[in-house]
Amino acid sequence: MTEPIFSAAHLNSWYGRGRERKQVLRDVTLSLSPGEALGVVGESGSGKSTLAKCLLGLVTDVEGTLTVNSPRPQMVFQDPYGSLNPAKTVGWILEEPLRAAGVKDKNQRRRRVEEMAALVGLGEEHLSRKPARLSGGQRQRVAIAAALIQGSRFIVLDEPVSALDVTLQAQILRLLADLKERLGLSYLFISHDLAVVYQLCDRVAVMTGGEIVEQGDVDDIYDHPQHDYTKKLLAASLALDG
Amino acid sequence: MRKNWYLRIGGALSLLMLIFCAVGLFWTPHDPSAISAADRYALPSPAHLFGCDALGRDIFSRVLQGAAATLTIALAVLAIGAVCGLVIGGLCGYFGGAADAIVMRLCDAIAAFPSVLLALVVMALTGAGRYHLIFALGVLFIPSFARLVRGEFLRQRDLDYVKSARLMGVSPLRIVFVHILPNTFPVLLSGLTIGFNNAVLAEASMSFLGIGVTPQDPSLGYMLSEAQGYLLKTPWYAGFLALTTILLILGVGLLGEGIRSETGVEA
């Protein structure tokens, strides 16, 4: 059996300190196989974003066992307005991960940036612009390229299409599916939107109140939801679609 | 887009005053300290545009020289305050923790005293003179910049682009000075304009009180204390000094206001 990308067992996490300390993750057990896309679905406040931050080491108040076997996992954030440095050009933003990784040769960095930009559907003309002069969809492409350029194969996607309109959502989801195929990526896909998870993910975990109440193959969960909360979420998403 | 008159008028006036002060650094129509008994209290004439003072010195030349001195001192004070404040505020804001708490309480303590009073104490210890004045005022300007920059760093450090840089393994110092710093420029710029005006006023009041520059190296404030002595005989001397100070402050103040409304920064 291949080694999982990450495996978490009985993970508990808290937010705040002292009397304000609130538990946001309760006994979370979850793992991700290479090449797999795992959706984590829940309402805001369900602990899904905290789970993602735990995996990336951005949260410190954690108990339990957690192993991440992919070097330097990256994250694509929900709001592409906040996740790109507004003072820098797209070219600089994409070069910076390479500088941080110790790629000294400027020409080599430039070449990698151009390759990566082409891969996510950005042209050379975008590289000299600042994020403010890009559309939401273009910004999210930049964020994806920046996450991939160091060669990371495990990407946490935190509501990456929620800030975009429906046509752009479909485009970005297609791009993500395509990149996963071509580069053999593994995704942890955080979302409140079951329909979006259904399009991209192989497996899904449903979270509420910091707990995973149900997990399994997307089709199983969609066709035979077991937990009441999952049924409610499904009904809500169908009502929106219908 | 709405025309930003603050920015235009402030920019034009600042530029004009800057040129005026800069000219004084290199050239004056007469030697500003040349005494001439024949020209005592001379009225304005083509030879002496603004007349002469009690020692027969050309007032126009003196104002030019004083403005240049005031400008250099204010800019130097600003440079010390801004650069140190930037480094201290940036590091404190980004890293936080115990060091931040200590440094910020120290800044509170300094800011709690009236700055001119505190500068007076420093000057009493070091003695008068341009460089001592720059040092004293510069140090006193650090807390306000540190506070301003720290607040901005506190806001920026939780933004996703900073998290993203951390995940990519960018070193903390590089995040502070290369990633976040350029994003604090709008706030810093409007802080600089306020700071500049405060520096001009602080320099002028200290020199006016005789604890700033030395007589060999006069500034606007120092000259004003001279002009005060014969206010009734040559009122235009004090008037011209005051006008220069006011226009300088007005121009930079308007410029700051223009920058603030342009960038939507509240400082």
Side-chain angles (χ1 to χ4, degrees), chain A residues 58-97:
Chain A
L58 292 174
V59 174
T60 45
D61 201 353
V62 190
E63 274 172 17
T65 333
L66 173 65
T67 12
V68 180
N69 294 316
S70 185
R72 201 153 270 175
Q74 292 297 316
M75 184 153 174
V76 174
F77 295 88
Q78 171 174 5
D79 175 17
Y81 292 76
S83 64
L84 304 177
N85 193 331
K88 307 292 184 182
T89 63
V90 169
W92 190 93
I93 290 170
L94 291 181
E95 249 187 87
E96 184 65 1

Side-chain angles (χ1 to χ4, degrees), chain B:
Chain B
M1 207 181 117
R2 188 182 54 85
K3 281 177 187 159
N4 191 336
W5 287 107
Y6 281 125
L7 197 65
R8 291 175 175 210
I9 297 175
L13 193 56
S14 303
L15 191 68
L16 201 73
M17 293 314 293
L18 209 69
I19 293 171
F20 180 79
C21 296
V23 165
L25 274 179
F26 305 106
W27 175 83
T28 51
H30 298 270
D31 179 353
S33 43
I35 296 170
S36 147
D39 290 327
R40 292 187 69 204
Y41 301 119
L43 294 175
S45 65
H48 300 287
L49 269 181
F50 288 89
C52 294
D53 69 359
L55 298 172
R57 296 175 297 191
D58 181 52
I59 290 177
F60 185 65
S61 304
R62 286 189 68 71
V63 173
L64 266 177
Q65 188 198 30
T70 295
L71 179 77
T72 17
I73 293 171
L75 289 180
V77 165
L78 210 57
I80 294 178
V83 171
C84 297
L86 210 77
V87 172
I88 293 172
L91 295 178
C92 282
Y94 184 74
F95 292 104
D100 169 44
I102 294 168
V103 172
M104 280 302 131
R105 290 302 79 75
L106 200 70
C107 285
D108 283 346
I110 295 178
F113 285 100
S115 55
V116 172
L117 200 69
L118 213 58
L120 202 145
V121 174
V122 178
M123 295 297 285
L125 292 172
T126 57
R130 174 188 285 224
Y131 297 105
H132 293 156
L133 182 64
I134 289 172
F135 170 78
L137 286 177
V139 171
L140 291 174
F141 270 62
I142 295 173
S144 65
F145 280 107
R147 178 163 303 281
L148 186 73
V149 172
R150 175 178 175 270
E152 193 56 18
F153 267 77
L154 271 180
R155 202 174 66 75
Q156 300 267 346
R157 76 166 178 195
D158 290 326
L159 294 182
D160 287 341
Y161 79 86
V162 177
K163 282 186 204 141
S164 169
R166 279 217 295 272
L167 284 176
M168 283 159 187
V170 179
S171 74
L173 282 182
R174 189 170 164 86
I175 289 181
V176 169
F177 292 110
V178 179
H179 287 240
I180 304 183
L181 190 61
N183 288 302
T184 66
F185 282 161
V187 170
L188 193 69
L189 212 56
S190 83
L192 278 175
T193 58
I194 297 172
F196 177 82
N197 285 350
N198 288 339
V200 169
L201 287 178
E203 186 283 320
S205 24
M206 300 225 1
S207 298
F208 180 77
L209 293 172
I211 44 169
V213 295
T214 52
Q216 296 80 38
D217 183 25
S219 67
L220 290 177
Y222 181 82
M223 289 176 186
L224 204 57
S225 70
E226 284 181 347
Q228 184 191 225
Y230 29 95
L231 194 58
L232 294 179
K233 277 198 162 158
T234 56
W236 52 84
Y237 188 8
F240 197 32
L241 287 165
L243 189 69
T244 310
T245 316
I246 290 168
L247 287 182
L248 188 61
I249 288 178
L250 187 68
V252 176
L254 288 175
L255 183 67
E257 193 55 45
I259 293 169
R260 266 189 295 288
S261 66
E262 193 74 12
T263 55
V265 168
E266 289 296 327

